[in-house]
Amino acid sequence: MNSRISRQVALGALLVFGSAPAFGQARRVASNPPLTLQEELNAWYRTAVKKAPGEWGVAVADEKGQLVWGIDPTAMMIPASTVKLFTTGFARSVLGSDAHKTTRVVGTGHLDPATGSWLGTWALELNGDPSFERAGRNGARLADLATQLAARGIRHLAGPLSLISATGDAGASFPSAWSSRHRGRLFAPLIGNLTLHENLVSFAVAAGPRAGSHAVLAGASPLGFDQLVRVEAKTVKGRKARLKFAQDADGRVVVTGTIGTSARARGFSAPTTNPRAVLEAAWKANLAAAGIDWTSAPGMSAPTGTLRATTIAEVISPTFDSIASEINRRSLNIGAELLLHWAAGYDNPVDRLNAHVQQITGDRSGVRLVDGSGLSSENRVSPYAFVTYLARFPLAPGGKNFPQLLPANGTGTLWRLASGLPIRGVVRAKTGTLGNVASLVGYLGRSDGVLLVSLMYNGNRVWAARQQQWSLFRTLGASGVVIPMDSLETDHLGGPEKP
């Protein structure tokens, strides 16, 4: 769509808006008919730009993708995490809904049944499983690998930890597309095949037994991370805690400061600076829990191409759909980047993502992406590209029931839509938030058909803009219906009409 169309849509909306009565006035006159969809949108926009001045781009389309209302729908805007919607669709179209990731212990050698020692080389094969060793959630675990080794009769392992991957380098790094100002923030951990516990570490510090004693470590995650934490903080009288921590390049954490004898334990979380060190500590602790002694001695190496390695233990992730649904529900940046690499590898994967979106939308000028998560402020997407994708992707290979991979109202990042809508599932949408971005893109179920809605705001009134976006979804979905499961046999979400 070109700029002329963009201006016409905006002008048409403003003309309707200018001639329509105020929203409150229309409601006060009992004899007046209910507001039309365009009148509701016009009234909403007048309030939105007053409450949140800035750059707005809006596209509202019917389930076929036909634009019914818009404000600068072809404007190229910063989308933030709504990019995850594209990444999910692309990865699913490549991998399928039932795809899964594997994590293995592989080796060349054999077990000495007399001693329980593995004689030969071994390595951990890590393949960027977003679910690996997640805290409090289902997924593959180091404990399961260790248990399988023990079930084989292995009681002793020797040699340094060797890491390999079937899909590239077995490491993790900070994406070049992300701003350096995000380093060290929870939402921006290191990304790569070396992923466990979402490459985050957590720990808690409590007061010691008496004033003057050292504070104590009250817990650490993942298992074994306590070996990398040193508490130098002191216990003092009182109820206050003034604790801080520093993390070095080796992944070790030092906690300093003071905590009162009556203060509750204080918890901390951060991206690890060294996922390998955390993995090594966690692997040692899980092996020990399974009754396996590991001597991390030099002189042993990873399996090489000269000998064919065999799988000694293996764990499998949940299915793609399960992983993708959680990534969107939590708006997990590391998860989205790993989905992109899962589908497109590590050699210019964003090029393939852009090509996918352009192919689905038929619009080569409406999207310019530089990452798979939306954390970069260099991404640009038009509101119209979003609604076009929402309409067309469910009909493409891998698109069946695509809306169900997005959070429902009242869940995840849409928890603020728990009220004001009649039932969960009226909305399936993705939020996007940065310091200067508030976006909300998705499906809205109504008795007269599904609306495709893209609300994008770039400016310095992000909180106010988000409140207005919630308000519009509540208004349009006040008597909404659950987004249906789509198929080629229904006329929902752009499918062929029934005869």
Side-chain angles (χ1 to χ4, degrees):
M1 177 176 280
N2 58 33
S3 59
R4 178 184 177 188
I5 296 177
S6 172
R7 289 194 297 271
Q8 287 177 335
V9 173
L11 178 60
L14 291 173
L15 285 174
V16 174
F17 166 69
S19 61
F23 185 85
Q25 293 174 333
R27 293 302 189 195
R28 283 198 296 270
V29 180
S31 59
N32 280 3
L35 295 179
T36 65
L37 174 63
Q38 282 202 344
E39 288 171 335
E40 286 185 315
L41 287 163
N42 291 335
W44 166 79
Y45 182 67
R46 179 170 63 181
T47 300
V49 295
K50 183 182 298 184
K51 298 284 188 181
E55 182 183 1
W56 282 89
V58 181
V60 180
D62 63 19
E63 57 196 28
K64 305 293 184 182
Q66 296 297 313
L67 201 63
V68 297
W69 194 90
I71 295 294
D72 288 336
T74 59
M76 297 297 284
M77 304 186 66
I78 306 171
S81 282
T82 48
V83 167
K84 293 179 176 68
L85 184 152
F86 292 141
T87 302
T88 300
F90 164 62
R92 196 179 193 233
S93 69
V94 174
L95 302 166
S97 60
D98 295 326
H100 60 260
K101 278 282 188 181
T102 58
T103 303
R104 300 182 176 95
V105 181
V106 298
T108 58
H110 65 279
L111 173 68
D112 180 354
T115 63
S117 298
W118 178 259
L119 304 179
T121 62
W122 61 275
L124 280 178
E125 181 186 285
L126 303 175
N127 297 311
D129 177 3
S131 74
F132 189 49
E133 201 69 21
R134 294 183 299 186
R137 295 178 173 87
N138 68 321
R141 295 191 176 279
L142 286 168
D144 297 326
L145 290 174
T147 299
Q148 290 178 38
L149 295 180
R152 281 178 167 264
I154 297 175
R155 295 294 178 265
H156 304 282
L157 281 177
L161 178 64
S162 295
L163 302 181
I164 62 173
S165 177
T167 57
D169 178 69
S173 60
F174 192 80
S176 60
W178 291 358
S179 171
S180 60
R181 72 178 184 275
H182 295 316
R183 280 185 180 271
R185 297 181 177 180
L186 281 173
F187 54 78
L190 302 182
I191 307 295
N193 282 317
L194 172 46
T195 296
L196 80 158
H197 203 253
E198 297 169 3
N199 283 346
L200 303 176
V201 292
S202 301
F203 60 95
V205 176
R210 68 188 68 83
S213 64
H214 272 92
V216 296
L217 188 65
S221 186
L223 181 67
F225 180 61
D226 58 307
Q227 298 303 306
L228 299 179
V229 181
R230 186 171 78 252
V231 179
E232 296 181 351
K234 298 292 186 180
T235 304
V236 298
K237 292 182 178 181
R239 308 178 66 89
K240 295 183 179 180
R242 297 183 176 89
L243 298 170
K244 60 182 179 179
F245 73 93
Q247 188 176 185
D248 64 21
D250 293 327
R252 296 184 177 276
V253 170
V254 177
V255 184
T256 57
T258 61
I259 183 169
T261 52
S262 300
R264 60 179 177 82
R266 295 296 195 265
F268 301 90
S269 295
T272 176
T273 57
N274 193 323
R276 183 187 177 92
V278 175
L279 174 63
E280 185 161 356
W283 182 231
K284 187 176 184 65
N286 280 279
L287 287 174
I292 300 174
D293 174 64
W294 173 31
T295 303
S296 181
M300 305 296 286
S301 61
T304 66
T306 58
L307 292 175
R308 184 175 180 82
T310 59
T311 298
I312 309 174
E314 179 180 78
V315 289
I316 299 175
S317 74
T319 64
F320 175 90
D321 275 8
S322 175
I323 293 174
S325 295
E326 182 181 339
I327 288 170
N328 286 322
R329 189 169 63 251
R330 297 171 57 204
S331 201
L332 195 62
N333 291 326
I334 184 174
E337 297 297 341
L338 291 176
L339 288 187
L340 178 59
H341 292 307
W342 188 359
Y346 285 83
D347 185 14
N348 300 319
V350 177
D351 291 345
R352 292 185 61 186
L353 176 60
N354 277 302
H356 163 81
V357 179
Q358 292 167 0
Q359 179 185 21
I360 296 296
T361 62
D363 182 0
R364 295 190 174 276
S365 61
V367 56
R368 295 195 303 272
L369 304 177
V370 301
D371 70 8
S373 60
L375 184 55
S376 173
S377 60
E378 298 302 312
N379 291 303
R380 293 293 185 275
V381 181
S382 73
Y384 183 71
F386 271 121
V387 295
T388 304
Y389 189 88
L390 292 177
R392 296 181 181 179
F393 181 67
L395 298 178
K400 185 177 176 64
N401 294 323
F402 174 68
Q404 309 305 316
L405 299 184
L406 305 179
N409 51 293
T411 67
T413 58
L414 299 188
W415 69 272
R416 289 187 181 276
L417 283 179
S419 62
L421 294 172
I423 192 172
R424 181 171 294 179
V426 169
V427 174
R428 291 280 180 175
K430 184 71 194 73
T431 59
T433 309
L434 288 172
N436 60 339
V437 178
S439 54
L440 181 57
V441 176
Y443 302 89
L444 174 61
R446 288 160 55 103
S447 58
D448 55 355
V450 176
L451 284 180
L452 315 178
V453 183
S454 176
L455 309 177
M456 303 183 71
Y457 170 83
N458 291 174
N460 59 10
R461 300 291 297 275
V462 171
W463 185 88
R466 176 70 78 220
Q467 304 315 302
Q468 294 307 307
Q469 291 167 353
W470 295 142
S471 175
L472 180 61
F473 268 70
R474 290 190 181 102
T475 298
L476 298 183
S479 57
V481 298
V482 172
I483 302 293
M485 301 282 279
D486 63 299
S487 73
L488 294 179
E489 286 73 45
T490 71
D491 59 357
H492 293 294
L493 302 173
E497 295 182 357
K498 294 178 180 178

